[in-house]
Amino acid sequence: MKKLFLIYLLIFMSVNAESQIKERSSSTSVYAGIGYKFVFLTNPTARNAYPFFQLSNGDFLKELDGFIGVSFNEKVAVEFSPAYLFSNSLSSDGFYFEDSRGSIFYYPVQTSLFAVPLNARVKFYPFTESKSSLNKVYLGVGGGAMYIEEEITSQLYVDISRENYIGVRSYQNDFWTYNYEILLGIKSFSMIGFGFELSYRFVPLDQPKTIPLVTSLSGNLNSANFMANIIFTF
């Protein structure tokens, strides 16, 4: 929780410093929007279990984002951005897990993963003086709390050949962690606009490796993301 507090503190300090340097003017505006995000997990263990695209059923690892924020002079913006990441896709590969019975091969037949990041973000528009399309480009940072829940039902076998069947087991775990992200995007400042964003999110996991779940076996749920969004300015 100390790390989470530091993330919020750094964001608050950067916003406060910016507001002290620049006086708010009539160009201050409030905006809100929704976005659809494609998520590519960069940890091999996590990506093997939850692939970016599942060819067999056409399912993506995806995320729905909402956001509401305030833009100051079209040079800096502060926003709150809750999101909902979810997937029911699964890889055709299984994994070994060692417990009191020894090393057992787990072959997932049903999975459920969802996460709820609750992030504060700061965006900077470094090219607002430019008369080209670069004036709509922004850089940003964000971070906050993140709730994760995972459930897997697996068939258990003696080994990867899946010839010696042991049985079926279901496992579930949910927990809170923290996350932080870096952003690069472009957006319009019109009343009803659109935007595109590339981001990289860091999600460290420190769960005990005593449960045969991906969130226990993976060191992180880091991801590279691409989002398209619609923005409403008031």
Side-chain angles (χ1 to χ4, degrees), residues 179-199:
N179 78 104
Y180 54 98
E181 57 186 341
I182 53 177
L183 322 167
L184 170 64
I186 184 170
K187 60 164 284 190
S188 66
F189 289 103
S190 56
M191 296 296 291
I192 301 179
F194 63 91
F196 300 96
E197 181 181 281
L198 295 172
S199 64

Side-chain angles (χ1 to χ4, degrees), residues 159-219:
D159 54 41
I160 197 172
S161 67
R162 289 195 285 149
E163 294 180 353
N164 298 309
Y165 179 69
I166 297 175
V168 177
R169 298 287 188 277
S170 293
Y171 300 89
Q172 185 271 344
N173 190 27
D174 62 277
F175 55 93
W176 284 92
T177 184
Y178 65 94
N179 78 104
Y180 54 98
E181 57 186 341
I182 53 177
L183 322 167
L184 170 64
I186 184 170
K187 60 164 284 190
S188 66
F189 289 103
S190 56
M191 296 296 291
I192 301 179
F194 63 91
F196 300 96
E197 181 181 281
L198 295 172
S199 64
Y200 192 86
R201 180 166 54 208
F202 301 86
V203 187
L205 299 175
D206 58 356
Q207 297 301 297
K209 300 185 185 302
T210 56
I211 309 175
L213 294 171
V214 175
T215 49
S216 296
L217 302 176
S218 302

Side-chain angles (χ1 to χ4, degrees), residues 50 61-63 83-88 111-117 146-151 172-177 201 215 221:
Y50 299 105
L61 180 59
K62 47 198 171 292
E63 182 176 312
Y84 179 63
L85 180 152
F86 58 99
S87 177
N88 295 106
T111 65
S112 174
L113 172 71
F114 75 85
V116 181
M146 186 173 186
Y147 175 78
I148 299 175
E149 180 174 312
E150 182 184 26
E151 183 173 359
Q172 185 271 344
N173 190 27
D174 62 277
F175 55 93
W176 284 92
T177 184
R201 180 166 54 208
T215 49
L221 277 182

Side-chain angles (χ1 to χ4, degrees), residues 83-104:
Y84 179 63
L85 180 152
F86 58 99
S87 177
N88 295 106
S89 66
L90 68 160
S91 171
S92 58
D93 300 327
F95 56 89
Y96 280 97
F97 183 79
E98 190 166 348
D99 57 19
S100 58
R101 296 169 294 182
S103 183
I104 304 296

